[in-house]
Amino acid sequence: MEKKLAEYKCNTNEAIQLKLVRFPEELEDDNTTFNPEYSHQVFGDDEVAFGYKGLKILLYYIAGNLSTLFRIEYTSKVNEKFDCVEADDVESKIREIIPPGFCTNTDDFVSLLEKEVNFKPFGTLLHTYSVHNEEAGDDITYQIYKADMTCPGFQEYHERLQTFLMWFIETASFIDVDDERWNYFLVFEKYNKDGATLFATVGYMTVYNYYVYPDKTRPRVSQMLILPPFQGEGHGAQLLETVHRYYMSSPTVLDITAEDPSENYVKLRDFVLVKLCKDLFCFSPGRLMQGFSQEMVVEAQQKLKINKQHARRVYEILRLRATDMGDAEQSRSYRLDVKRRLIGPYKKKQRELAKMRRCLRPEELTNQLNQIDLNMQHEQLEESFQQLVSDYRRVLERLAQA
């Protein structure tokens, strides 16, 4: 029986099929389908739906306004003859995250698709840029807008847009849209259909404006997502740089941070901040070789709203660019400079060990153990340094191509 029931387990990352639809013929085109990276927040840690064979959870969105088609298909479903087991209520689980008003049949969805020509981006246009598309042999235009909940129709649109977070951000949660301190930044692609200009949703970012005493704010990036069909084309960098430039112009903004940034976000931020800082006077090659300075901190904060921690990282990346690592003296100077920063947590650990040494009996804290610990610290420090240099080189390679 157990083996028989196992046949009715479906991987929900494979079962969920997502589309961003521009033309009716794309509904039957598997090449336009993409799948989630995660589904544990809806279907549990195992990311499994039980009770179905050949399960397909169709979530198709109109490319611009994100009107949704939701349908479930399967080839077989368990019933009472399977020792009274019940299939998971897949529909209820999906309904918990997608807003009401979705279509359940293709004809209604296609009817909405025909009205897509009326959709226009929300809010204020901040930036326009183009990306060359090799396949089309042409430049494609993209635009970034800033919106808020006072824009007519935006709240309903945002409810549909945020559903993608559940599939592509591991620890995603929906935000409180009633809080007026949220800002929303949206990326759209302009495309032509039957001679008309239409807009397709590319991605977005939410930013929360924290109050800083007495009269400043600290914008914190909360969520950022470029939808999978558009990833790897530079839209994330365009969006983050545009958001930085938007806040740079505000005298009330202290600096810009991020909430629990992912490794990929940190790499993206490195690239954007280095691009912004590289032409500042304090980050000129001659100044870089003199070491990290308070002047760098001040200039980065005042002109670009970059905090001290991020300014230090930018300094290390730009100093690497200015350093001849083939020169023994320059290489040694750079290595020691970066390691002095990295060693901070290890020195703290040594202070804690010193306290323990005063409190514990000698046999509980032998010299041999201390020596092993020191060796491990040196190895970890070197590993951290080499990983950083590797990450920094990738940023510099991307900068050279920008």
Side-chain angles (χ1 to χ4, degrees):
M1 176 61 74
E2 189 174 331
K3 185 177 180 182
K4 188 72 174 174
L5 291 176
E7 297 175 4
Y8 286 83
K9 289 183 178 180
C10 298
N11 182 321
T12 46
N13 288 340
E14 296 173 0
I16 297 167
Q17 300 187 3
L18 304 164
K19 280 184 189 287
L20 295 166
V21 182
R22 304 183 186 194
F23 305 95
E25 53 267 28
E26 292 176 347
L27 289 168
E28 305 300 326
D29 184 359
D30 290 341
N31 291 325
T32 63
T33 302
F34 55 101
N35 304 97
E37 290 182 28
Y38 311 102
S39 55
H40 61 277
Q41 298 205 87
V42 180
F43 291 99
D45 290 343
D46 291 338
E47 298 181 320
V48 164
F50 171 74
Y52 306 87
K53 279 185 180 180
L55 178 65
K56 291 182 180 180
I57 303 169
L58 308 182
L59 282 169
Y60 296 171
Y61 295 80
I62 292 177
N65 69 19
L66 303 179
S67 293
T68 311
L69 170 67
F70 168 44
R71 198 167 68 230
I72 296 172
E73 299 176 356
Y74 50 84
T75 56
S76 179
K77 183 178 178 180
V78 298
N79 53 39
E80 56 276 0
K81 68 183 180 185
F82 281 94
D83 198 22
C84 298
V85 296
E86 290 186 13
D88 290 343
D89 189 350
V90 171
E91 182 173 338
S92 292
K93 291 177 183 290
I94 297 293
R95 281 177 176 268
E96 287 178 10
I97 66 161
I98 65 171
F102 54 82
C103 301
T104 55
N105 69 74
T106 304
D107 289 343
D108 291 344
F109 186 73
V110 171
S111 295
L112 289 176
L113 187 59
E114 292 170 355
K115 301 173 185 175
E116 177 73 347
V117 68
N118 299 317
F119 172 75
K120 295 292 182 286
F122 303 94
T124 306
L125 175 63
L126 298 181
H127 178 54
T128 299
Y129 63 98
S130 61
V131 175
H132 186 73
N133 184 283
E134 293 290 345
E135 191 177 325
D138 202 0
D139 289 344
I140 297 176
T141 299
Y142 298 87
Q143 294 183 329
I144 298 176
Y145 289 77
K146 177 187 174 290
D148 57 52
M149 287 299 159
T150 65
C151 301
F154 178 67
Q155 183 165 348
E156 294 77 11
Y157 166 85
H158 177 262
E159 286 176 356
R160 298 188 290 271
L161 176 60
Q162 69 178 353
T163 61
F164 285 99
L165 297 176
M166 290 297 163
W167 312 129
F168 296 103
I169 296 182
E170 190 171 6
T171 57
S173 59
F174 293 161
I175 63 175
D176 176 13
V177 297
D178 293 329
D179 192 329
E180 296 178 354
R181 285 176 288 187
W182 284 107
N183 285 340
Y184 307 83
F185 299 88
L186 310 160
V187 188
F188 294 95
E189 176 192 331
K190 293 177 73 173
Y191 70 98
N192 293 317
K193 181 179 179 181
D194 300 328
T197 299
L198 279 73
F199 294 85
T201 300
V202 171
Y204 81 119
M205 177 190 289
T206 58
V207 180
Y208 192 79
N209 295 294
Y210 279 90
Y211 168 71
V212 179
Y213 181 84
D215 58 355
K216 300 287 185 182
T217 59
R218 173 172 281 132
R220 180 186 289 181
V221 176
S222 174
Q223 303 157 323
M224 180 178 181
L225 177 64
I226 301 299
L227 296 172
F230 303 96
Q231 290 176 4
E233 298 176 354
H235 302 296
Q238 289 281 354
L239 177 57
L240 186 56
E241 183 175 345
T242 299
V243 170
H244 252 275
R245 291 189 182 280
Y246 170 78
Y247 287 117
M248 276 160 47
S249 62
S250 172
T252 62
V253 169
L254 186 64
D255 53 41
I256 304 162
T257 62
E259 178 186 341
D260 192 21
S262 67
E263 188 176 323
N264 285 337
Y265 180 85
V266 171
K267 291 176 181 177
L268 178 68
R269 181 175 63 196
D270 283 345
F271 168 71
V272 169
L273 298 191
V274 167
K275 185 181 174 189
L276 290 171
C277 285
K278 65 183 177 64
D279 295 323
L280 293 181
F281 174 72
C282 282
F283 289 87
S284 59
R287 291 298 189 97
L288 290 167
M289 301 309 282
Q290 295 173 22
F292 188 58
S293 66
Q294 183 61 25
E295 287 78 9
M296 292 176 182
V297 175
V298 171
E299 189 173 20
Q301 192 276 323
Q302 290 183 349
K303 293 184 179 179
L304 302 176
K305 312 297 184 182
I306 296 172
N307 65 30
K308 182 177 180 179
Q309 180 184 354
H310 298 162
R312 169 72 200 204
R313 197 168 167 98
V314 167
Y315 153 77
E316 290 177 3
I317 296 170
L318 287 175
R319 178 162 176 180
L320 177 62
R321 185 175 73 159
T323 298
D324 178 3
M325 294 299 279
D327 181 288
E329 183 56 39
Q330 287 191 37
S331 175
R332 179 177 179 277
S333 177
Y334 179 77
R335 187 174 67 256
L336 291 176
D337 188 49
V338 174
K339 284 188 174 182
R340 270 193 293 270
R341 177 182 65 81
L342 292 176
I343 206 169
Y346 298 103
K347 284 187 174 179
K348 182 182 177 183
K349 196 170 183 180
Q350 285 298 312
R351 289 194 295 271
E352 291 171 353
L353 280 171
K355 290 179 182 177
M356 290 170 64
R357 205 174 283 120
R358 291 194 295 269
C359 300
L360 298 177
R361 293 191 301 272
E363 59 268 25
E364 292 177 308
L365 198 68
T366 64
N367 289 330
Q368 185 178 5
L369 185 62
N370 283 337
Q371 187 59 44
I372 292 172
D373 190 60
L374 282 172
N375 289 337
M376 282 181 62
Q377 287 182 18
H378 286 304
E379 288 176 12
Q380 290 169 355
L381 187 63
E382 181 62 23
E383 285 177 13
S384 297
F385 173 74
Q386 293 299 338
Q387 183 60 54
L388 263 188
V389 170
S390 177
D391 291 343
Y392 290 173
R393 288 193 193 282
R394 278 193 287 270
V395 173
L396 293 173
E397 287 168 8
R398 184 173 181 183
L399 188 68
Q401 296 167 2

